[in-house]
Amino acid sequence: MSYNFNDIEDKWQRYWAKNQTFRASNSSDKPKFYVLDMFPYPSGAGLHVGHPLGYIASDIYARYKRHTGHNVLHPQGYDSFGLPAEQYAIQTGQHPALTTAKNIKRYREQLDKIGFSFDWSREVRTSDPEYYKWTQWIFIQLFDSWYDLEADKSKDISELEEIFASEGNSRLNAACDDEVQEFSADAWNTFSSEEKQQILLKYRLTYLAETEVNWCPQLGTVLANDEIVNGVSERGGYPVVRKKMTQWSMRISAFSERLLQGLDQLDWTESLKESQRNWIGKSVGAHVDFNVQDSDDKIGVFTTRPDTIFGVTFMTLAPEHELVKKITTPQQKEEIEAYVAASAKRSERERMADVKSITGVFTGAYAEHPFTGESIPIWIGDYVLAGYGTGAVMAVPCGDQRDYDFARHFNIPIKNIFENANISEAAFSGKEGTVIANSDFLSGLEYKEALQKVILELEKTGHGYGKTNYRLRDAVFSRQRYWGEPFPVYYVKGMPQMIDVQHLPLHLPEVEKYLPTETGEPPLGNAADWAWDTEKNEVVSNDKIDDKTVFSLELNTMPGWAGSSWYLFRYMDAGNTEEFVSSAAQNYWENVDLYIGGSEHATGHLLYSRFWTKFLHDRGQLSVEEPFKKLINQGMILGQSAIIYRASIRTFWEQETAEDISEYLNKHLIFISYDEYIAARELGETNLLKKATEDLKNKLTDKFKVELKSFRIDFANAVPLRVDVNLINTSDELDIAGFRNHALYRDYKESFFITSESGKFLVQREVEKMSKSKYNVVNPDDICEDYGADTLRMYEMFLGPLEQAKPWNTAGITGVHNFLKKLWKLYHNGEQFEVSEEKASADSLKSLHKTIKKVTEDIEEFSFNTSVSTFMICVNELSAQKCNSREVLEPLVILLAPYAPHISEELWNKLGHSESVVTAEYPVFEEKYLVESTKNYPISFNGKMRFTMELPLDMPKDEIEKTVMADERTQKQLDGRSPKKVIVVPGKIVNIVG
């Protein structure tokens, strides 16, 4: 019976769907295990073979855990709000909801074909109003909360109002905006409602503030740092500038220390933890205030080395610093403004990464040294970021290389304050054991002692204080987009008010255009009905706005990370209409036991999700403080791009025919086989290329009846062109006919192709990211159709370690497919299914249990690639042993089921089981089958091995000697001689000394 994988896979996929085989229960006597993938954004391109890698790994583990007696939750859904659908809506006018629904349908079809054991009854979509109702609800909880630094937790805003009413804010230790003024209880009680709201907004965990943002004019929206690549938008590659805008922000900075400390409890890779530690960026030092000369202004700086304060010879402000305009002298104004404008076009990441460029401008203003009173010039430089620390640095060039380079470049003095340090070529970076010099009351002190003393002096003189600083900044939460969660916010006298939770969700309105309005408002500004009636508690026409009972709604939408920050909890209780998750469901599932996804989310989604989880825990909504216990970052499957080369033609002819020939050559381009291109570059024009040049020259001469004064084809400087990999065979040969007829290459239909001497047109292969734009995408549907989903699953695991990047090579898939066909044959005798009830041989049991041991260890270590190799070895051994015993073949099916579920279901069914193989208990490894009872002794004569003998391991030493000496091969070697000595080492060797 042949292995009809298409029929088998279709059969079992329908069975799983009909019987809801993978539906999890929120109550069970079994131990729970929650496996989750980072859910996909449903793009129009669908899945390529790189996308399922992590899903396959998690699915293997989920299936394995079911076999080992766990109640497994393995859900899937869609991160369905996103910029691509909105951009498509702008181009076509089609509503993003329609595009998204179509794309989700396509994704679901592709995912089902690969045989994932997802519990689809719990599917979530972040763009579903029934889902984002709870995203809006969480936003309101954040708005109604503040952070008590004393208790180190979030609390209800009503508690803060009670504190203000009874004692003011002078003794309060809370996370808040920097410019909060002190007030007494009496003052608070006399404030108007608007004044109280303005003050509370400075403490709320989500708040409105004027913030430096990454603005992309072409996309008409703010972008997060992780949405910018090399200074341009990740989507579209458009320029991004820095500008100030009033935005909603999340006070994630209040959680910095908890986010840092919580990492120690997580089973994540050290590199990923380190990424978050660096992003949070804890620094211990001091805040120092420098007075600006001839001004009442102060420049505050945070420094980890206040002990070097006597080495300050200049200060640098971020170009965006609020004092730049104020302190710049008229003489420097033009130069400063030009520099600020140029800096606004560079992203923060770009500025941080650029360590080679030294740029800056002197403001013309001076600060005053807090201890010496010396004048310190104030510069601006884009290596200082407005959002980190205070946006200003005290520059100590003798102790900081960047300050040193800046001072050298602009001829600013460098003062040495380190004893016995040579700073003639570079800054001195030592800390521990360093002795401070030329520093007044700090001279002669070592680093630690000087640090403590200078902080005491700063606090005594009122010029500063000790401080712990974090690089982590509050997260901008507004986006100027249509396709995102609407804020449940309306405005009364300019102050934000929350829509009552009982009236959620606030649905996205219909709009005519998805672009910003003509006056620059976000796309929701195009909605005719986008006002809130506080009496009817519903959305009404904008015409009814009267600022009495009908008010304007927020025009921004939430960012993409809003819905993904809590989705793991919704899966626990997806159908709940009363709360985002019930306490019973959440207490049962707790949090995610295994999370698999890309490392690119280290400082975005993963950080925000940890923040929201800690907040919801503080407010009594969750029993856990961390969302993901164990996290694995899968590597990337790389594409093998195919590149062909177009040669340039350099010619000169009579003027009157130039236009005709140019038009002809534009249609008849010349492509050259890759091997000939390499030869042309290394050897110059080959005979084959000379002939091709002459042939084309003659063709042009005959066609246009013109004498070409010069004609040369520049093969060595040919231009590369990426082509669709589906036009390339396994020998790297281009299908020229297919290329000519391909929709993408219609312009090249009449081109010339110079093949190699063998007549083949070869392409260059280049391993790079699999991407639609590089035409190197391989569709998993095609692989499933040609080889089967089980082959695809096992091949993706076989490619290499899960965490590493590896190139896709369709040619290599046949090996895995042949393995599955060989496995199928183990259970069949010709066209008949045939499994014996006879006891298995010792060799077969050894092969099985060796495989159980290795595969189980590999699954637990996520070393899936070596598991596939182990299965191949096992099937080869069992085939050689002609094993068809149920005692071996039945547990082998269960062992294989997580990797190749379809063929395993079919074989399990043929073995006589009516229930799915998913219900089968995982095979138990038994050491006894691997214990060797015999030893294959090497028999040596005078130290040279001549043959081997299989003897029982427990055979006594003298019996071994007798048996070996009686063997005819021994007698033949001795040839009648008596040995001088027989050396026997039981369990190792026998050596006969003659």
Side-chain angles (χ1 to χ4, degrees):
M1 184 180 291
S2 59
Y3 171 40
N4 297 315
F5 53 87
N6 292 125
D7 294 341
I8 291 168
E9 291 176 359
D10 179 64
K11 169 186 173 181
W12 289 104
Q13 285 163 15
R14 283 188 284 107
Y15 174 90
W16 295 330
K18 180 183 177 182
N19 293 278
Q20 297 190 55
T21 304
F22 310 114
R23 186 164 188 157
S25 169
N26 279 5
S27 60
S28 173
D29 295 334
K30 298 177 181 179
K32 72 94 182 181
F33 199 86
Y34 185 179
V35 182
L36 186 62
D37 304 287
M38 291 184 186
F39 62 172
Y41 171 75
S43 71
L47 295 171
H48 61 61
V49 292
H51 291 126
L53 178 68
Y55 302 161
I56 295 169
S58 68
D59 197 59
I60 290 170
Y61 205 81
R63 288 174 177 273
Y64 164 69
K65 281 295 184 180
R66 290 190 187 97
H67 286 304
T68 55
H70 290 78
N71 180 28
V72 175
L73 174 57
H74 188 209
Q76 186 58 283
Y78 304 96
D79 193 6
S80 49
F81 274 132
L83 194 53
E86 183 158 343
Q87 288 298 109
Y88 187 74
I90 290 168
Q91 294 161 11
T92 65
Q94 179 168 293
H95 196 289
L98 298 176
T99 308
T100 301
K102 180 183 175 183
N103 294 348
I104 285 175
K105 184 174 182 291
R106 171 79 179 117
Y107 261 65
R108 177 63 188 272
E109 289 170 354
Q110 289 188 290
L111 291 169
D112 284 346
K113 279 185 179 178
I114 303 173
F116 294 117
S117 63
F118 293 135
D119 180 354
W120 285 110
S121 70
R122 298 172 184 253
E123 178 192 317
V124 301
R125 303 179 184 188
T126 57
S127 58
D128 181 352
E130 289 307 308
Y131 180 87
Y132 69 67
K133 163 186 178 177
W134 297 108
T135 309
Q136 293 172 339
W137 178 85
I138 294 170
F139 176 84
I140 293 171
Q141 307 312 302
L142 284 154
F143 183 81
D144 287 338
S145 301
W146 63 290
Y147 201 87
D148 184 342
L149 291 170
E150 205 67 50
D152 204 18
K153 69 178 293 187
S154 318
K155 292 184 176 180
D156 194 283
I157 202 74
S158 61
E159 293 184 37
L160 186 62
E161 292 181 88
E162 289 174 8
I163 293 171
F164 288 165
S166 61
E167 56 188 71
N169 70 345
S170 57
R171 290 188 294 166
L172 184 69
N173 187 12
C176 60
D177 294 357
D178 292 335
E179 70 277 10
V180 171
Q181 302 294 316
E182 281 191 16
F183 55 82
S184 65
D186 289 341
W188 171 262
N189 292 322
T190 61
F191 290 153
S192 67
S193 173
E194 286 77 16
E195 288 173 321
K196 287 180 178 179
Q197 287 183 58
Q198 286 173 346
I199 292 169
L200 287 171
L201 203 54
K202 297 178 187 298
Y203 288 88
R204 295 182 187 274
L205 289 184
T206 185
Y207 61 94
L208 280 172
E210 192 176 59
T211 314
E212 278 280 337
V213 296
N214 302 309
W215 174 251
C216 181
Q218 278 86 346
L219 295 177
T221 190
V222 169
L223 299 177
N225 283 330
D226 55 4
E227 294 174 311
I228 302 167
V229 179
N230 299 323
V232 297
S233 62
E234 185 178 32
R235 174 74 180 177
Y238 300 119
V240 177
V241 297
R242 299 286 294 171
K243 67 181 287 189
K244 284 191 174 181
M245 295 179 70
T246 299
Q247 303 280 291
W248 282 102
S249 290
M250 291 275 173
R251 211 177 294 278
I252 188 175
S253 59
F255 293 76
S256 296
E257 188 62 26
R258 285 170 67 185
L259 289 167
L260 202 58
Q261 296 303 323
L263 290 169
D264 295 337
Q265 313 304 317
L266 300 177
D267 185 6
W268 295 10
T269 62
E270 202 51 42
S271 61
L272 196 144
K273 288 184 183 181
E274 199 58 29
S275 292
Q276 288 209 354
R277 289 190 189 107
N278 292 335
W279 194 258
I280 295 166
K282 183 178 181 178
S283 304
V284 179
H287 176 93
V288 184
D289 285 321
F290 289 78
N291 293 325
V292 178
Q293 287 184 354
D294 304 320
S295 169
D296 293 332
D297 292 306
K298 292 181 178 182
I299 298 174
V301 303
F302 172 78
T303 175
T304 58
R305 294 294 305 273
D307 56 304
T308 65
I309 196 165
F310 287 95
V312 176
T313 58
F314 66 100
M315 298 189 74
T316 311
L317 306 183
E320 308 87 0
H321 196 286
E322 59 187 3
L323 285 180
V324 171
K325 280 186 180 179
K326 192 172 182 181
I327 66 173
T328 298
T329 62
Q331 297 89 339
Q332 295 297 110
K333 184 181 178 186
E334 186 177 342
E335 195 176 355
I336 287 285
E337 287 177 349
Y339 187 84
V340 170
S343 295
K345 295 176 182 176
R346 304 181 74 201
S347 71
E348 287 193 359
R349 284 192 177 180
E350 190 180 355
R351 284 160 59 177
M352 289 166 68
D354 185 5
V355 295
K356 294 181 179 178
S357 302
I358 302 172
T359 64
V361 180
F362 178 44
T363 64
Y366 292 86
E368 190 177 278
H369 195 285
F371 292 122
T372 68
E374 292 174 325
S375 296
I376 302 170
I378 303 170
W379 289 66
I380 65 169
D382 67 2
Y383 72 95
V384 182
L385 304 177
Y388 179 56
T390 63
V393 298
M394 60 175 223
V396 183
C398 69
D400 180 275
Q401 192 59 45
R402 202 152 194 181
D403 292 344
Y404 183 93
D405 295 338
F406 193 95
R408 278 287 187 89
H409 187 80
F410 291 108
N411 296 314
I412 300 170
I414 300 175
K415 180 182 176 183
N416 193 354
I417 56 158
F418 301 115
E419 197 171 279
N420 301 322
N422 180 4
I423 60 166
S424 60
E425 298 295 330
F428 177 74
S429 59
K431 185 185 287 185
E432 300 298 332
T434 301
V435 178
I436 304 296
N438 305 316
S439 299
D440 197 357
F441 59 88
L442 298 179
S443 295
L445 300 180
E446 289 194 0
Y447 159 68
K448 287 185 178 178
E449 192 178 354
L451 186 68
Q452 293 172 355
K453 188 163 185 178
V454 74
I455 291 174
L456 285 173
E457 287 298 318
L458 285 167
E459 291 174 347
K460 190 189 297 182
T461 59
H463 284 113
Y465 48 87
K467 186 181 181 183
T468 298
N469 198 52
Y470 298 91
R471 182 182 290 116
L472 181 64
R473 285 161 286 165
D474 289 344
V476 175
F477 199 66
S478 296
R479 297 292 184 270
Q480 292 65 46
R481 299 177 186 165
Y482 172 78
W483 192 233
E485 297 92 341
F487 284 92
V489 176
Y490 62 95
Y491 289 89
V492 178
K493 295 182 180 179
M495 295 305 299
Q497 312 295 322
M498 298 296 115
I499 291 172
D500 194 286
V501 295
Q502 65 182 312
H503 304 302
L504 299 179
L506 175 64
H507 290 256
L508 271 172
E510 294 296 322
V511 295
E512 287 186 16
K513 296 186 297 184
Y514 301 99
L515 288 165
T517 67
E518 292 178 1
T519 54
E521 293 174 323
L524 292 188
N526 292 310
D529 300 328
W530 198 237
W532 186 254
D533 189 320
T534 55
E535 289 186 339
K536 295 180 179 178
N537 289 307
E538 64 182 22
V539 174
V540 296
S541 169
N542 296 348
D543 296 338
K544 296 183 178 180
I545 294 173
D546 58 12
D547 291 327
K548 293 177 182 177
T549 60
V550 180
F551 303 94
S552 300
L553 283 160
E554 170 67 61
L555 298 181
N556 290 307
T557 52
M558 298 185 196
W561 57 266
S564 63
S565 292
W566 69 278
Y567 77 117
L568 69 148
F569 298 109
R570 190 59 179 168
Y571 282 134
M572 297 175 181
D573 203 7
N576 194 330
T577 59
E578 301 302 316
E579 48 193 337
F580 80 103
V581 61
S582 69
S583 57
Q586 195 275 306
N587 287 331
Y588 176 75
W589 292 110
E590 293 180 335
N591 52 10
V592 175
D593 295 287
L594 173 64
Y595 197 36
I596 296 184
S599 60
E600 67 272 18
H601 299 291
T603 55
H605 156 63
L606 291 173
L607 202 59
Y608 297 137
S609 188
R610 294 185 63 217
F611 157 44
W612 277 30
T613 301
K614 290 180 186 299
F615 163 72
L616 290 166
H617 170 77
D618 287 354
R619 295 305 311 275
Q621 301 294 336
L622 297 175
S623 64
V624 294
E625 280 207 53
E626 292 288 348
F628 314 112
K629 290 178 186 174
K630 183 177 182 64
L631 173 65
I632 293 177
N633 296 134
Q634 86 273 10
M636 189 181 290
I637 289 184
L638 303 171
Q640 286 206 47
S641 299
I643 301 169
I644 63 175
Y645 285 85
R646 176 170 61 84
S648 301
I649 300 174
R650 304 186 186 283
T651 186
F652 179 75
W653 51 79
E654 298 297 336
Q655 190 60 42
E656 59 268 19
T657 60
E659 192 174 324
D660 291 341
I661 296 180
S662 293
E663 186 179 341
Y664 180 82
L665 290 176
N666 284 336
K667 288 183 179 179
H668 297 73
L669 299 174
I670 300 172
F671 291 100
I672 177 173
S673 181
Y674 182 60
D675 54 339
E676 292 299 327
Y677 164 69
I678 293 297
R681 291 195 64 176
E682 293 178 356
L683 307 172
E685 203 169 32
T686 62
N687 289 333
L688 187 146
L689 297 181
K690 284 177 183 175
K691 184 177 184 306
T693 301
E694 193 61 32
D695 288 347
L696 184 56
K697 181 181 177 182
N698 292 336
K699 195 172 281 188
L700 289 173
T701 302
D702 292 344
K703 183 173 181 63
F704 294 99
K705 310 301 181 191
V706 62
E707 186 65 35
L708 298 177
K709 295 190 176 181
S710 68
F711 183 82
R712 185 169 71 86
I713 302 176
D714 186 359
F715 294 107
N717 294 303
V719 179
L721 173 73
R722 280 176 172 75
V723 296
D724 189 334
V725 292
N726 295 299
L727 296 170
I728 315 301
N729 67 15
T730 55
S731 302
D732 293 340
E733 236 184 303
L734 175 70
D735 174 3
I736 295 174
F739 178 86
R740 292 186 193 278
N741 294 315
H742 197 289
L744 284 172
Y745 311 114
R746 283 175 184 154
D747 292 344
Y748 308 129
K749 191 166 186 175
E750 299 178 49
S751 294
F752 299 107
F753 288 84
I754 300 175
T755 60
S756 59
E757 289 185 1
S758 63
K760 296 178 179 179
F761 190 94
L762 301 179
V763 301
Q764 179 189 4
R765 288 294 205 172
E766 187 170 307
V767 176
E768 54 190 347
K769 182 178 179 180
M770 195 172 282
S771 165
K772 189 178 177 183
S773 64
K774 299 182 189 300
Y775 306 107
N776 61 3
V777 167
V778 178
N779 191 329
D781 297 2
D782 297 336
I783 302 298
C784 290
E785 180 65 30
D786 295 342
Y787 300 98
D790 286 339
T791 298
L792 172 67
R793 290 168 64 103
M794 295 198 77
Y795 182 60
E796 293 219 1
M797 293 299 97
F798 187 57
L799 283 173
L802 179 62
E803 297 90 345
Q804 293 181 13
K806 46 259 177 186
W808 176 270
N809 182 2
T810 302
I813 205 167
T814 53
V816 173
H817 188 60
N818 290 337
F819 154 72
L820 288 174
K821 289 197 285 188
K822 195 168 189 177
L823 171 80
W824 182 260
K825 286 180 181 177
L826 264 182
Y827 295 78
H828 294 83
N829 183 4
E831 291 299 304
Q832 292 297 116
F833 179 82
E834 187 176 297
V835 172
S836 167
E837 301 299 327
E838 294 179 8
K839 184 164 180 57
S841 69
D843 284 345
S844 294
L845 287 168
K846 179 181 177 182
S847 293
L848 171 67
H849 284 272
K850 185 172 61 175
T851 304
I852 293 172
K853 183 175 188 291
K854 183 70 169 71
V855 168
T856 306
E857 289 171 353
D858 286 345
I859 290 179
E860 291 291 356
E861 294 296 322
F862 301 92
S863 299
F864 302 119
N865 58 313
T866 50
S867 282
V868 178
S869 301
T870 301
F871 280 124
M872 290 176 171
I873 292 168
C874 178
V875 168
N876 284 339
E877 289 179 355
L878 295 177
S879 298
Q881 296 156 10
K882 302 191 184 314
C883 173
N884 73 339
S885 170
R886 178 184 292 271
E887 187 180 7
V888 169
L889 298 186
E890 192 163 90
L892 180 62
V893 168
I894 304 169
L895 200 61
L896 184 70
Y899 293 80
H902 305 90
I903 192 173
S904 299
E905 287 279 20
E906 183 69 11
L907 293 173
W908 186 251
N909 182 251
K910 285 175 174 287
L911 283 162
H913 301 282
S914 58
E915 288 191 332
S916 166
V917 71
V918 171
T919 63
E921 192 173 326
Y922 195 75
V924 177
F925 165 66
E926 294 187 56
E927 182 76 41
K928 66 182 181 182
Y929 293 112
L930 266 58
V931 174
E932 301 287 351
S933 59
T934 62
K935 165 69 180 176
N936 197 28
Y937 281 92
I939 311 300
S940 300
F941 293 82
N942 298 318
K944 292 183 179 180
M945 193 197 72
R946 298 300 183 186
F947 59 89
T948 61
M949 285 186 73
E950 187 93 8
L951 299 172
L953 265 174
D954 57 356
M955 179 180 278
K957 186 176 178 179
D958 56 342
E959 286 295 317
I960 293 172
E961 183 176 339
K962 284 181 185 177
T963 304
V964 170
M965 292 303 297
D967 192 278
E968 62 180 17
R969 290 170 295 179
T970 302
Q971 297 304 317
K972 187 177 179 181
Q973 287 290 331
L974 289 173
D975 194 24
R977 301 187 306 276
S978 296
K980 295 177 181 177
K981 190 193 301 184
V982 177
I983 302 169
V984 177
V985 180
K988 291 189 177 180
I989 61 163
V990 175
N991 185 28
I992 299 170
V993 181

